[in-house]
Amino acid sequence: MTTGARAAPVVFLTGASTGIGEALARHYAAQGATLGLVARRAELLEKVTASLPGQHLHYAADVRDTDALRAAAEDFIARVSVPDIVIGNAGVSVGTLTGEQEDLPAFEAVFDINVLGLVRTFAPFVKPMQARGSGTLVGIASVAGIRGLPGAAAYSASKAAAISYLESLRVELRGSGVRVKTLCPGYIDTPMTEKNPYPMPFMLEAADAAERFARFIDGPRSYAVIPWQMGIVAKVMRLLPNAVYDALASKSGRKPRGTL
């Protein structure tokens, strides 16, 4: 008895117009997947979609817009199917300082996109996946969520919240057939990192990162730091006493303050 070739997955992906999202879209399209791509910038998203092999759907939507995300999800399910994989990738990073009153809107936007954006992305798919008894929800967190980084309080805290949210969701859906995976990238060469004025060890090219991410998504683990070298760094960071960590982190470079 022979086993047939494995069917290419159906994938729904946010933050698909650039960076990690674009690299993941290109990786999955090359594997024959059918994609539903979401991003804020309509023109850029259209160009990415048109450049991919195969036929795919794209939706210009902000992950802060609950109604727009639900409409995109419902349209994709109606026209294609319930996805095999949903990847909540949309995210933002900007330097922030708590003592600067004008940084409060940036704090709010970072949390809204990086944390609530995951909830809005996954919400329309949970019950359809449960009804089918299968599916994978993938949240892109960050190694920056392991411990707080100076000058990046909004980003670090939002990614720490994302890690905890994904853990809660994973336990909630245990036994339903729906898997929840937490992916914490280290430094990836994307527009998000290109303005960082400090060393970024073990940096990966976006295409290389996408291949590694896809292997993790397809595998048995529920949590991963990629690349593995940053996983070791993350474990050491967790173990450091506060006094030691504070002394080291205070000397690290800081992301420039900005607006979103």
Side-chain angles (χ1 to χ4, degrees):
M1 181 177 178
T2 59
T3 301
R6 181 176 178 180
V10 175
V11 181
F12 191 89
L13 168 67
T14 65
S17 64
T18 188
I20 291 173
E22 180 185 355
L24 283 167
R26 295 194 183 282
H27 173 83
Y28 279 112
Q31 305 306 309
T34 300
L35 306 177
L37 304 177
V38 177
R40 289 183 301 110
R41 292 172 285 184
E43 183 177 351
L44 188 54
L45 180 61
E46 290 173 5
K47 289 181 179 178
V48 170
T49 306
S51 71
L52 300 175
Q55 298 296 313
H56 311 286
L57 300 179
H58 64 274
Y59 305 92
D62 192 319
V63 294
R64 289 176 284 188
D65 188 335
T66 301
D67 293 339
L69 272 186
R70 179 168 293 278
E74 291 175 350
D75 181 78
F76 187 76
I77 290 172
R79 295 173 63 184
V80 181
S81 70
V82 177
D84 300 300
I85 303 169
V86 175
I87 305 175
N89 167 71
V92 292
S93 175
V94 63
T96 50
L97 292 175
T98 300
E100 302 294 340
Q101 187 66 28
E102 60 269 28
D103 284 8
L104 182 57
F107 271 90
E108 293 173 338
V110 169
F111 271 83
D112 201 6
I113 294 167
N114 292 358
V115 184
L116 295 180
L118 284 178
V119 181
R120 297 186 188 102
T121 298
F122 295 154
F125 297 108
V126 169
K127 289 185 177 179
M129 283 184 168
Q130 286 178 307
R132 187 180 60 191
S134 67
T136 301
L137 304 173
V138 183
I140 306 297
S142 172
V143 71
I146 306 287
R147 297 204 71 160
L149 300 175
Y155 186 69
S156 289
S158 71
K159 292 303 185 178
I163 291 169
S164 292
Y165 162 67
L166 291 163
E167 185 167 64
S168 294
L169 184 61
R170 185 181 73 241
V171 177
E172 286 174 13
L173 297 179
R174 186 172 186 267
S176 70
V178 182
R179 302 188 302 167
V180 178
K181 290 175 169 273
T182 304
L183 175 53
C184 295
Y187 294 113
I188 313 299
D189 188 8
T190 67
M192 184 180 288
T193 58
E194 66 183 7
K195 296 181 181 179
N196 289 348
Y198 45 79
M200 292 176 281
F202 313 118
M203 177 177 278
L204 295 176
E205 295 295 326
D208 182 13
E211 291 184 11
R212 299 186 192 206
F213 294 174
R215 287 198 296 269
F216 161 69
I217 292 168
D218 195 44
R221 292 184 296 163
S222 61
Y223 175 94
V225 177
I226 297 174
W228 64 266
Q229 294 95 332
M230 287 303 293
I232 294 174
V233 172
K235 289 179 180 179
V236 172
M237 288 170 62
R238 285 195 190 102
L239 295 173
L240 287 177
N242 284 354
V244 176
Y245 176 75
D246 293 356
L248 293 173
S250 65
K251 299 175 183 177
S252 65
R254 303 189 181 194
K255 196 174 188 75
R257 291 171 60 217
T259 57
L260 296 171

